[in-house]
Amino acid sequence: MPYDCSFLSDLEVAVSFEEGDLESHAADWGTQETDKKTRPDAVVRPESTDEVSTVLAAADDRGVPVTPYAAGTSLEGNAVPAFAGISMDLMGMNEVVDVRPDDFQIDVQPGVMGTAVDDAVAEYGLFFPPLPSSGNLSTIGGMIANSASGMQTVKYGEVGDWVLELEAVLADGSVVRSGSRAVKTSSGYDLKSLLVGSEGTLAVVTEATLALQGRPEQIRGGRAIFPTLDDAAEAVFDAVRSGVDVAKIELIDGLSATMANDYLGSDLPDAPMTFLEFHANHGVEEEVAFCESVFEEHGVERFEMAEEEEMDELWAARRELAFAARAWDPEQQPLHPGDITVPISEYPGIIRYAKELEEEYGLPVPCFGHAGDGNLHYSVLVPDDPEVREVGEQVYRDIVERAIEVGGTCTGEHGIGMGKREYLLLEHGDASVDAMRRVKRALDPNDTLNPGKMFPETLEGGRVRLDADD
Amino acid sequence: MPYDCSFLSDLEVAVSFEEGDLESHAADWGTQETDKKTRPDAVVRPESTDEVSTVLAAADDRGVPVTPYAAGTSLEGNAVPAFAGISMDLMGMNEVVDVRPDDFQIDVQPGVMGTAVDDAVAEYGLFFPPLPSSGNLSTIGGMIANSASGMQTVKYGEVGDWVLELEAVLADGSVVRSGSRAVKTSSGYDLKSLLVGSEGTLAVVTEATLALQGRPEQIRGGRAIFPTLDDAAEAVFDAVRSGVDVAKIELIDGLSATMANDYLGSDLPDAPMTFLEFHANHGVEEEVAFCESVFEEHGVERFEMAEEEEMDELWAARRELAFAARAWDPEQQPLHPGDITVPISEYPGIIRYAKELEEEYGLPVPCFGHAGDGNLHYSVLVPDDPEVREVGEQVYRDIVERAIEVGGTCTGEHGIGMGKREYLLLEHGDASVDAMRRVKRALDPNDTLNPGKMFPETLEGGRVRLDADD
């Protein structure tokens, strides 16, 4: 339903009602052609915390939904309005506010791109380790909202682990600060961590203090090719279990390699392989050798360290896999991308399961991901046929359900958004989801912020407050 | 005021109304002789999640406060009843539930001692890195509740960073699970991190899945002695800023060294010094040399690596400092221990400030702490004279306020409890504390769990719900 957003014209904030703006804010990277899109009624572009606060307070008073938006790289509809209202575009708040190299800290506004953080601190020999693969295209605000992580998470942790302090605006317009510029604190509730991964449903982040790290003196990269996917997955598990100190350990199956070659004109072997990167200040060669010795026990066919240029090619192939899957066969399109994560001991098993389903139903299921974290991205490719599509959806769901069954999560780094709502209950149980709902109602009683996301009852089109029984 | 707790006798849970039990649960390590103690009306000792749930649901129905208690090592009255009612002693829930060495994970009940975790996983070459100094005397449940950290936090982070999943019981008796056994997740609100550091005011943790790490192959320890405290503090700052990879870096001032010598009969130099430990799999000697070269720029007088036995002595001295300060001079007793933490660039300055106040008011202010984190423990020693005591309290407060002013926190690892309530507003501001309050009311609307803690309004003796305006 449309909301009357004319009040925005009276506020001190840039507002647009233009078709093109409304249309572009109705989709994110996860939106597919078959999806029904909901346009916002207005797009606002605040340039300060005050402006964010003004808009939120006014919208909250009027019962108008506000959905934060930035680069739109989310994959589960996290930043797309479910109920029209206001799309709050934060790309204009893109300043690096302060760099404190002595403290390994940077303060940024939410619209700053991931790689812009690295650019801002490179002169001090520092970097921001947990950047997602899309770091050149996505914003720090979006990463915080979705609890993002990336290829280096196996060594350095998630984006949220590197957030020291947040300034954020609640639905009623009040401005909170949480966390500390001290590297540790036990002072009060950890609202900062509550906001990380809350997908804009609790607050709009307006500034973040991030921790940084000194760049490693030794970096080595390469790839390892295995006879079978199972060998590759078992090798990754064994490397992690053995404590190999690796900064990136990505796995792709033979099908994904084929797709990458088709898409990029590259000449990867059409075989299961892992891409690796090692970071150290001392002894990197020993660590590479340690990894190789573990991989040899799993029949590795080639273990090749590469020059930087070659590595760039490899990583390009890895980064483009999501696009490669879409471009591979016009007759078969991927369902939305899987993002399950399991305890590392379950990683070989969940990949075997995906491949069993691939064979059983005759639908391509390319598998790749941040293997060292136990994170598996997969797609199910289906033709334009509703019945086969339904089978594909079931394959997709079977893999998610298996992941949860073995102690994992339905989403390692993409968030719940609209695409994963059906799994929240299955993963966390009634009491835990109800506790989340109570927190949501406490901080956003009118369900102003990004309604229609995360909670399973919104699958039936409700807003959280409409389902409140108190 | 006393609460009628006779209903407990009808529940399936061990309950005690004995004087000795009530008395012992009215104090923690931070309780001083001059403090007025509030005894609980009953002590329950649940042995399962179900029993915790049963007691909480019954108490919540009847408006009876429940204060979780374990080893009692907290320092800010965190585990001591402010309003009588029930002390819930979790020491009986002390089982290691499962160890999964391949996943570097352990599941424990809350009453498991910190060092018992290390004992349980030693055979797999694993350890739990963020243990506090009191790890042999304190429980995992208490560490989680207070967001504890320790000597190795400079390298490995806080206890909370190593908590993967929690089972916990809310005030109404409902059992929630939060987090995942996958090493990363973006699924729903991070209730787990919200519970870490909530000091038993939101839930009672009944089981925790902790992450572990492989033990480093190389460990070196030693100490460095400096001409002045300022040199020592600047050297620590420079080492951290330079990215020296150190696992422990503790600083003690000359006064603390004297106190340790008196207390332990040790023969430390009565000089400012740092204790160090380095962990690595490769190149530990290079890292030690790097540290030494940084320290040399700050005039280090002696930089001595030590054998394991000597190190044990040094660390014993460091661990006993809190007791040493109490024993040093019967005429001058320490006020409760300071626990500020500041950005590392502010560390030399805050120590200078403490020492200026020491000189200005003529009251001993021994300083020590986890210097690499910017964490400073200090005491102000005062004679039994109310006027001088008031001066001492002011010195104590001045240091806390300065820490907050420079971007730090009033408590790095001890929590707010009752002792730091006056600083919560100063550190976080009205809107943030109000957001915490809304979360508290959402999850514990009757203020059943550990009332009288954390929130500044409880300084006037209120319970949170009594101050609710909605």
Side-chain angles (χ1 to χ4, degrees):
Chain A
M1 89 183 192
Y3 289 86
D4 178 2
C5 291
S6 57
F7 69 94
L8 291 169
S9 304
D10 300 327
L11 304 180
E12 295 281 327
V13 65
V15 59
S16 165
F17 301 98
E18 286 175 28
E19 289 296 306
D21 264 337
L22 305 183
E23 182 67 17
S24 67
H25 288 73
D28 66 11
W29 279 16
T31 308
Q32 305 206 341
E33 279 178 32
T34 49
D35 290 345
K36 192 176 154 291
K37 289 196 269 185
T38 302
R39 285 186 185 186
D41 301 302
V43 174
V44 295
R45 293 187 164 89
E47 293 185 359
S48 68
T49 303
D50 277 353
E51 291 185 7
V52 171
S53 172
T54 301
V55 171
L56 281 174
D60 195 45
D61 271 352
R62 291 165 176 80
V64 177
V66 178
T67 301
Y69 195 92
T73 54
S74 51
L75 291 164
E76 299 289 0
N78 322 59
V80 167
F83 290 100
I86 299 167
S87 177
M88 179 178 277
D89 186 322
L90 294 148
M91 294 300 280
M93 291 182 69
N94 59 3
E95 276 178 39
V96 172
V97 178
D98 193 19
V99 182
R100 292 181 297 282
D102 284 346
D103 287 316
F104 289 19
Q105 291 179 14
I106 187 172
D107 303 334
V108 296
Q109 290 187 315
V112 166
M113 306 304 287
T115 42
V117 170
D118 277 347
D119 293 344
V121 303
E123 65 178 297
Y124 308 107
L126 300 172
F127 77 124
F128 183 62
L131 273 194
S133 323
S134 65
N136 57 328
L137 299 167
S138 57
T139 63
I140 295 295
M143 294 173 203
I144 291 170
N146 285 354
S147 186
S149 51
M151 291 194 189
Q152 300 181 161
T153 291
V154 62
K155 181 175 172 72
Y156 299 104
E158 301 167 81
V159 167
D161 297 326
W162 295 77
V163 176
L164 287 169
E165 193 175 41
L166 289 179
E167 179 192 77
V169 184
L170 301 183
D172 63 6
S174 59
V175 180
V176 299
R177 289 196 81 89
S178 175
S180 175
R181 291 179 182 183
V183 299
K184 68 182 194 186
T185 175
S186 300
S187 175
Y189 297 157
D190 186 359
L191 296 181
K192 174 197 72 181
S193 296
L194 179 65
L195 298 186
V196 172
S198 65
E199 303 187 19
T201 65
L202 297 179
V204 176
V205 168
T206 48
E207 193 177 311
T209 296
L210 308 176
L212 304 164
Q213 178 145 328
R215 273 189 295 200
E217 289 168 27
Q218 304 175 323
I219 297 181
R220 296 291 181 282
R223 69 178 179 192
I225 295 165
F226 290 88
T228 71
L229 182 58
D230 197 46
D231 290 326
E234 291 283 356
V236 168
F237 167 38
D238 203 0
V240 172
R241 165 176 63 182
S242 304
V244 174
D245 183 8
V246 65
K248 301 181 186 173
I249 184 163
E250 299 285 319
L251 178 145
I252 71 173
D253 66 358
L255 178 56
S256 298
T258 304
M259 289 174 168
N261 286 333
D262 272 18
Y263 184 67
L264 293 170
S266 53
D267 57 353
L268 296 171
D270 291 334
M273 70 186 96
T274 63
F275 296 171
L276 301 158
E277 198 169 284
F278 299 84
H279 293 183
N281 289 329
H282 314 287
V284 77
E285 303 303 347
E286 287 93 322
E287 211 63 31
V288 171
F290 179 24
C291 186
E292 185 170 8
S293 72
V294 173
F295 279 15
E296 276 167 359
E297 288 172 37
H298 299 277
V300 67
E301 288 179 345
R302 286 154 60 189
F303 186 93
E304 309 164 318
M305 290 295 103
E307 295 306 308
E308 205 172 324
E309 257 172 54
E310 285 178 286
M311 282 309 299
D312 286 348
E313 258 178 58
L314 284 176
W315 293 114
R318 165 64 189 85
R319 262 197 307 271
E320 305 290 329
L321 279 178
F323 304 102
R326 288 194 195 187
W328 188 53
D329 177 357
E331 302 294 308
Q332 296 189 89
Q333 284 301 298
L335 301 175
H336 71 284
D339 178 39
I340 57 158
T341 308
V342 295
I344 194 69
S345 65
E346 301 289 347
Y347 197 66
I350 197 88
I351 290 186
R352 275 194 292 271
Y353 183 63
K355 289 294 159 180
E356 278 163 28
L357 294 175
E358 178 178 64
E359 198 172 314
E360 184 175 343
Y361 294 100
L363 296 173
V365 184
C367 288
F368 59 97
H370 312 309
D373 305 330
N375 188 195
L376 177 67
H377 296 313
Y378 64 97
S379 298
V380 184
L381 272 63
V382 294
D384 185 17
D385 172 334
E387 273 181 41
V388 184
R389 190 183 171 91
E390 185 39 52
V391 173
E393 297 275 11
Q394 189 55 49
V395 168
Y396 182 93
R397 283 195 294 266
D398 284 348
I399 298 171
V400 177
E401 286 167 19
R402 176 64 65 92
I404 292 172
E405 210 176 288
V406 300
T409 178
C410 67
T411 171
E413 52 183 27
H414 298 166
I416 298 289
M418 294 193 277
K420 288 275 164 46
R421 285 173 293 182
E422 62 186 296
Y423 304 110
L424 199 75
L425 266 180
L426 185 67
E427 183 172 337
H428 299 284
D430 276 333
S432 301
V433 173
D434 192 56
M436 293 181 198
R437 199 177 283 124
R438 285 153 79 174
V439 168
K440 165 72 173 170
R441 286 183 195 145
L443 296 183
D444 181 16
N446 300 321
D447 199 18
T448 296
L449 277 164
N450 208 1
K453 307 297 171 68
M454 199 178 289
F455 293 98
E457 61 269 30
T458 65
L459 278 165
E460 275 93 55
R463 287 172 68 180
V464 170
R465 64 171 171 155
L466 300 180
D467 300 280
D469 49 2
D470 55 5
Chain B
M1 89 182 192
Y3 288 87
D4 177 3
C5 291
S6 56
F7 68 94
L8 291 169
S9 303
D10 300 327
L11 304 180
E12 295 281 328
V13 65
V15 58
S16 165
F17 301 98
E18 286 174 27
E19 290 296 306
D21 265 336
L22 306 183
E23 181 68 17
S24 67
H25 287 74
D28 66 11
W29 278 17
T31 307
Q32 304 205 340
E33 278 178 31
T34 49
D35 290 344
K36 192 175 154 290
K37 289 197 269 186
T38 301
R39 284 186 184 185
D41 301 303
V43 175
V44 295
R45 294 187 164 88
E47 293 184 1
S48 69
T49 303
D50 276 353
E51 291 185 7
V52 171
S53 173
T54 302
V55 171
L56 280 175
D60 195 45
D61 270 351
R62 292 165 176 79
V64 176
V66 178
T67 301
Y69 195 93
T73 55
S74 52
L75 290 165
E76 299 289 0
N78 322 58
V80 167
F83 290 100
I86 299 167
S87 178
M88 179 178 277
D89 186 321
L90 294 148
M91 295 300 279
M93 290 181 69
N94 58 3
E95 275 180 38
V96 172
V97 178
D98 193 19
V99 182
R100 292 180 297 283
D102 283 345
D103 288 315
F104 288 18
Q105 292 179 12
I106 186 172
D107 304 333
V108 296
Q109 291 187 314
V112 166
M113 307 304 287
T115 42
V117 171
D118 277 347
D119 293 344
V121 303
E123 65 178 297
Y124 307 107
L126 299 172
F127 77 124
F128 184 61
L131 274 193
S133 324
S134 65
N136 57 328
L137 299 167
S138 57
T139 64
I140 295 295
M143 293 173 205
I144 291 170
N146 286 353
S147 185
S149 52
M151 290 193 189
Q152 299 181 161
T153 291
V154 63
K155 181 175 173 70
Y156 299 103
E158 302 168 79
V159 167
D161 297 326
W162 295 78
V163 176
L164 287 169
E165 194 175 41
L166 290 179
E167 179 191 77
V169 185
L170 302 183
D172 63 8
S174 59
V175 180
V176 299
R177 289 196 81 90
S178 174
S180 175
R181 290 179 183 183
V183 298
K184 69 182 193 186
T185 176
S186 299
S187 175
Y189 297 158
D190 186 359
L191 295 180
K192 174 198 73 181
S193 296
L194 178 65
L195 297 186
V196 171
S198 64
E199 303 188 17
T201 66
L202 297 179
V204 176
V205 170
T206 48
E207 193 178 311
T209 296
L210 307 176
L212 304 164
Q213 177 145 329
R215 274 189 295 202
E217 289 169 25
Q218 304 176 322
I219 297 181
R220 296 290 181 280
R223 69 178 179 191
I225 296 165
F226 290 88
T228 71
L229 182 58
D230 197 45
D231 290 326
E234 291 283 357
V236 168
F237 166 37
D238 203 0
V240 172
R241 165 175 64 182
S242 304
V244 174
D245 183 9
V246 66
K248 301 181 186 174
I249 182 164
E250 300 285 317
L251 178 146
I252 71 173
D253 66 358
L255 177 54
S256 298
T258 304
M259 288 174 167
N261 285 333
D262 272 19
Y263 184 68
L264 293 169
S266 53
D267 56 354
L268 296 172
D270 291 334
M273 70 187 96
T274 63
F275 297 170
L276 300 158
E277 199 168 283
F278 298 84
H279 293 182
N281 290 328
H282 313 287
V284 77
E285 303 302 347
E286 286 94 322
E287 211 61 33
V288 171
F290 179 24
C291 186
E292 185 169 8
S293 72
V294 172
F295 279 16
E296 277 166 359
E297 288 171 38
H298 299 277
V300 65
E301 288 179 343
R302 286 155 59 188
F303 185 93
E304 309 164 318
M305 290 294 101
E307 295 305 309
E308 205 173 324
E309 256 173 54
E310 284 177 288
M311 282 309 300
D312 286 349
E313 258 178 58
L314 284 177
W315 293 114
R318 165 63 188 84
R319 262 197 307 273
E320 305 290 328
L321 279 177
F323 305 100
R326 289 194 193 187
W328 187 53
D329 177 356
E331 303 294 310
Q332 296 190 90
Q333 283 301 298
L335 300 176
H336 73 283
D339 178 38
I340 57 158
T341 308
V342 295
I344 195 69
S345 64
E346 301 288 347
Y347 197 66
I350 197 89
I351 290 185
R352 276 194 292 271
Y353 182 64
K355 288 293 158 180
E356 278 163 29
L357 294 175
E358 179 178 66
E359 198 172 316
E360 185 176 343
Y361 294 99
L363 297 172
V365 184
C367 287
F368 58 97
H370 313 309
D373 306 329
N375 187 197
L376 177 68
H377 296 312
Y378 63 96
S379 298
V380 183
L381 272 63
V382 294
D384 186 15
D385 172 333
E387 273 180 41
V388 184
R389 189 182 172 92
E390 185 38 51
V391 173
E393 297 275 10
Q394 189 55 48
V395 168
Y396 182 92
R397 283 195 293 266
D398 285 348
I399 297 171
V400 177
E401 285 167 19
R402 174 65 64 93
I404 293 172
E405 210 176 288
V406 299
T409 178
C410 67
T411 171
E413 54 182 27
H414 297 165
I416 298 288
M418 295 193 278
K420 288 273 164 46
R421 286 173 293 182
E422 63 187 296
Y423 303 110
L424 199 74
L425 266 181
L426 186 67
E427 183 172 337
H428 300 283
D430 277 332
S432 301
V433 172
D434 192 56
M436 293 181 197
R437 199 178 283 124
R438 285 153 79 175
V439 169
K440 165 71 173 172
R441 285 181 197 148
L443 296 182
D444 181 15
N446 300 321
D447 199 17
T448 296
L449 277 164
N450 207 1
K453 305 297 170 69
M454 199 178 291
F455 293 98
E457 62 268 32
T458 65
L459 279 164
E460 275 93 55
R463 285 172 69 178
V464 170
R465 65 175 170 152
L466 300 180
D467 299 280
D469 50 1
D470 55 7

